[in-house]
């Protein structure tokens, strides 16, 4: 497995995970009681799938003259993929909030 693939995948997954956990941790800090709902699992699965597809389509293969990715290139690729994961998860959550039945 190439380092580029691992950087992309970890960026996307950590972005989705961060977007999923921040509201949960905020509610725990506020002392609210939470229960597990399958909608969270569906949203996370959809976010992982869509953001992974977007990342691999937009950054297909970076051709380098050297086989080793520098720290700056790896960090910028990670940040871009993290942003895709975080943003796609935010869009899916916001979209589902608009059409959620109360």
């Amino acid at each position: 497995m190439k380092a580029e693939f691992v950087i992309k995948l970890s960026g996307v997954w950590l972005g989705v995970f961060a977007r999923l956990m921040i509201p949960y941790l905020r509610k725990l800090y506020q002392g609210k009681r939470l229960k597990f709902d399958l909608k969270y699992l569906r949203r996370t699965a959809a976010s992982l799938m869509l953001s992974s597809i977007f990342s691999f389509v937009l950054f297909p293969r970076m051709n380098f003259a050297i086989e080793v990715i520098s720290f700056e290139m790896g960090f910028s690729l990670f940040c871009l993929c993290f942003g895709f994961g975080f943003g796609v998860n935010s869009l899916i959550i916001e979209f589902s909030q608009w059409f959620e039945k109360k």
Side-chain angles (χ1 to χ4, degrees), residues 36-53:
F36 181 76
D37 194 355
L38 282 178
K39 70 179 178 181
Y40 300 122
L41 193 58
R42 288 193 307 263
R43 288 178 186 168
T44 302
S47 297
L48 282 173
M49 217 171 36
L50 286 174
S51 54
S52 295
I53 290 169

Side-chain angles (χ1 to χ4, degrees), residues 15-98:
V16 170
F17 183 73
R19 177 60 180 98
L20 184 69
M21 289 303 292
I22 289 172
Y24 176 75
L25 293 174
R26 179 180 36 85
K27 289 177 184 177
L28 279 181
Y29 179 74
Q30 293 171 348
K32 294 182 180 177
R33 192 175 171 117
L34 302 171
K35 64 176 185 157
F36 181 76
D37 194 355
L38 282 178
K39 70 179 178 181
Y40 300 122
L41 193 58
R42 288 193 307 263
R43 288 178 186 168
T44 302
S47 297
L48 282 173
M49 217 171 36
L50 286 174
S51 54
S52 295
I53 290 169
F54 288 154
S55 294
F56 290 120
V57 167
L58 291 175
F59 309 113
R61 175 143 165 58
M62 297 164 63
N63 294 322
F64 300 109
I66 311 169
E67 290 294 320
V68 180
I69 297 176
S70 67
F71 177 76
E72 292 84 13
M73 287 291 263
F75 185 71
S76 63
L77 182 62
F78 176 81
C79 289
L80 285 170
C81 291
F82 184 90
F84 272 113
F86 197 92
V88 168
N89 200 3
S90 291
L91 288 173
I92 288 174
I93 290 171
E94 189 63 35
F95 185 77
S96 66
Q97 297 274 335
W98 275 82

Side-chain angles (χ1 to χ4, degrees), residues 7-21:
I7 291 171
K8 287 179 190 177
L9 210 54
S10 62
V12 165
W13 287 355
L14 287 174
V16 170
F17 183 73
R19 177 60 180 98
L20 184 69
M21 289 303 292

